[in-house]
Amino acid sequence: MEALLIHLLSGLGLAIALWFAQSVESVDLVADPARTLGRISVIECPIVILLFSRYRQNPEKCSYLKAVGRGALALPVGALANALGAIALGAPVGTQYLQKTIHWSCMMSAFTFVPAGSVFGSSWSDWQRIFAYTKPVRSIDYMICLPAHGAIIGAWFGAWPMPLDWERPWQDWPICVTYGAILGYVLGMVASIVFILLHDSHHCTKVD
């Protein structure tokens, strides 16, 4: 139930950001992607940092505020990594795309690096276990691993329509990639809840 609550609050942050952009500022991802992505980052990042910092490793040695600081530090680091990864895979480069890429990268960092930074800090073995080997062990591992992988895979699938000659406005960078990332992130959250339930039921069966 606690994992479900964390994911519901994270999803609610996304919904509020999209609602705010559309209802208050009268923009959306297609009309003004940079502005909309900026609102998502500003609203979603603090929510993710504050929520996941509660589940920091070694709480007796790491205070809540220190975990919040680690999550905040992970935001620009993750944004840089996501931006470089996107460019390496073919994202357009230029001054007209710079603001869009920065805001998209910050959103992706909130989906991927920030939760891990808040929980694991600089524990390289845990980062490898979650992102390189995809071997979650605890409930919090599933809550970090599956949504992050879902966002990355969703963004990759979302990029497929970009080179097609349909001449639709939503094919521009990073609109369809963002839709794919958000969808993958949400599906990853749902999958993590399912895996947590299965993991807990299996653990209870072994104990019995």
Side-chain angles (χ1 to χ4, degrees), residues 74-142:
L75 177 61
V77 175
L80 180 61
N82 277 284
L84 293 176
I87 291 170
L89 291 173
V93 179
T95 54
Q96 69 270 35
Y97 300 110
L98 180 60
Q99 190 177 12
K100 298 177 185 178
T101 301
I102 290 174
H103 289 309
W104 177 83
S105 301
C106 287
M107 181 197 73
M108 289 297 293
S109 183
F111 292 166
T112 55
F113 275 64
V114 170
S118 299
V119 175
F120 301 132
S122 58
S123 176
W124 180 242
S125 60
D126 286 306
W127 283 81
Q128 277 188 311
R129 181 170 54 82
I130 294 298
F131 292 106
Y133 305 136
T134 319
K135 290 183 177 179
V137 177
R138 302 170 300 155
S139 294
I140 190 63
D141 296 343
Y142 287 102

Side-chain angles (χ1 to χ4, degrees), residues 35-201:
R35 204 171 182 184
T36 305
L37 287 166
R39 297 302 169 267
I40 293 175
S41 300
V42 167
I43 294 174
E44 184 72 4
C45 288
I47 292 174
V48 172
I49 291 172
L50 294 174
L51 288 175
F52 279 89
S53 293
R54 294 181 65 245
Y55 303 97
R56 62 199 180 278
Q57 287 194 148
N58 301 320
E60 65 280 357
K61 296 181 180 179
C62 176
S63 67
Y64 179 75
L65 288 178
K66 183 177 180 180
V68 169
R70 295 189 315 196
L73 181 62
L75 177 61
V77 175
L80 180 61
N82 277 284
L84 293 176
I87 291 170
L89 291 173
V93 179
T95 54
Q96 69 270 35
Y97 300 110
L98 180 60
Q99 190 177 12
K100 298 177 185 178
T101 301
I102 290 174
H103 289 309
W104 177 83
S105 301
C106 287
M107 181 197 73
M108 289 297 293
S109 183
F111 292 166
T112 55
F113 275 64
V114 170
S118 299
V119 175
F120 301 132
S122 58
S123 176
W124 180 242
S125 60
D126 286 306
W127 283 81
Q128 277 188 311
R129 181 170 54 82
I130 294 298
F131 292 106
Y133 305 136
T134 319
K135 290 183 177 179
V137 177
R138 302 170 300 155
S139 294
I140 190 63
D141 296 343
Y142 287 102
M143 293 167 62
I144 295 171
C145 179
L146 297 185
H149 281 81
I152 294 169
I153 294 170
W156 183 69
F157 275 107
W160 284 18
M162 286 181 61
L164 302 178
D165 58 352
W166 296 344
E167 297 182 355
R168 299 282 191 252
W170 52 265
Q171 289 178 266
D172 291 341
W173 167 260
I175 300 170
C176 54
V177 178
T178 301
Y179 281 125
I182 292 175
L183 178 60
Y185 181 64
V186 172
L187 291 176
M189 288 194 290
V190 174
S192 73
I193 296 297
V194 174
F195 274 89
I196 288 170
L197 291 173
L198 292 173
H199 177 266
D200 288 349
S201 64

